[in-house]
């Protein structure tokens, strides 16, 4: 009974922000990543990112996003 990515995106929520980083509500991950003419930049929301470096070489670990991702499929990004 594994959930699809689409099902998880509809179920999971994010904190919606105003331009001053104040929490003003919540939205599904799915709706917060929808780009429309009314919302050309989608919904501003909290997110986090990890940068993993190899201390001995200074290299940054990158990963390629899945082709099935709703936003930025196949793009190389930080971990």
């Amino acid at each position: 009974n594994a959930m699809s990515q689409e099902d998880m995106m509809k179920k999971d929520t994010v904190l919606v922000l105003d331009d001053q980083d104040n929490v003003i509500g919540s939205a599904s991950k799915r709706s917060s990543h929808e780009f429309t003419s009314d919302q050309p930049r989608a919904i501003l929301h909290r997110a986090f990112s990890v940068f993993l470096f190899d201390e001995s070489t200074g290299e940054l670990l990158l990963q390629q996003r899945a082709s099935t991702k709703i936003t930025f499929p196949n793009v190389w990004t930080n971990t």
Side-chain angles (χ1 to χ4, degrees):
N1 266 351
M3 292 177 72
S4 69
Q5 182 184 5
E6 182 69 22
D7 290 339
M8 286 188 281
M9 294 285 286
K10 290 177 181 174
K11 183 178 182 252
D12 290 347
T13 58
V14 296
L15 297 174
V16 176
L17 308 173
D18 65 15
D19 290 337
Q20 284 73 49
D21 196 38
N22 298 303
V23 176
I24 57 172
S26 64
S28 73
K29 270 190 181 178
R30 178 68 173 116
S31 66
S32 68
H33 290 95
E34 289 176 339
F35 298 88
T36 66
S37 58
D38 292 336
Q39 284 181 180
R41 297 180 67 198
I43 295 174
L44 184 61
H45 61 281
R46 290 264 165 88
F48 71 93
S49 201
V50 174
F51 291 84
L52 186 59
F53 288 92
D54 180 327
E55 288 184 13
S56 66
T57 64
E59 293 176 313
L60 170 64
L61 178 64
L62 297 177
Q63 65 181 2
Q64 188 174 24
R65 292 175 59 88
S67 62
T68 55
K69 288 287 189 180
I70 293 168
T71 55
F72 310 108
N74 296 316
V75 170
W76 287 91
T77 185
N78 62 305
T79 46

